[in-house]
Amino acid sequence: MANIKQQIKRAKTNEKARLANFSFKSSLKTALKNVKVAVAENNLEKATEALNLAYKKLDKALAKNIVHKNYVARNKSNLAKLVDSIR
């Protein structure tokens, strides 16, 4: 642990951010999984709703610098293909 007062504060801030990012990333993965589950059930309406939520979460994660832009682009593309496959 750091001895300098400002570094101790920074360590606390970083830990809070790490936990918040971890929580958000978990909800993002759940949203992605929900799209895949809806497609597996051949439920187009549910899949479309889940896709919209997943897009929103991906964009938010990118805005918060939690994930890389290529990760977002790749997942959006793959999910769109998946949903289109049941149309």
Side-chain angles (χ1 to χ4, degrees), residues 30-45:
T30 302
L32 298 177
K33 190 182 92 176
N34 287 341
V35 175
K36 293 173 185 171
V37 167
V39 169
E41 295 171 352
N42 277 331
N43 188 341
L44 181 60
E45 187 177 314

Side-chain angles (χ1 to χ4, degrees), residues 1 8 16 20 22 26-27 29 35 43 49 52 56-58 61 64 66-68 70 78 81-83 86-87:
M1 188 69 184
I8 292 170
K16 282 183 190 175
F22 183 81
S26 176
S27 71
K29 289 177 185 176
V35 175
N43 188 341
E49 285 177 26
N52 287 336
K56 183 179 175 185
K57 292 246 183 209
L58 283 166
K64 290 181 171 188
I66 295 174
V67 293
H68 193 272
N70 291 355
N78 288 341
K81 283 182 197 171
L82 209 57
V83 172
I86 63 169
R87 284 196 171 140

Side-chain angles (χ1 to χ4, degrees), residues 10-25 64 66:
R10 195 70 202 142
K12 285 182 186 175
T13 308
N14 288 341
E15 182 63 15
K16 282 183 190 175
R18 186 185 71 82
L19 293 174
N21 289 345
F22 183 81
S23 174
F24 190 86
K25 212 169 195 180
K64 290 181 171 188
I66 295 174

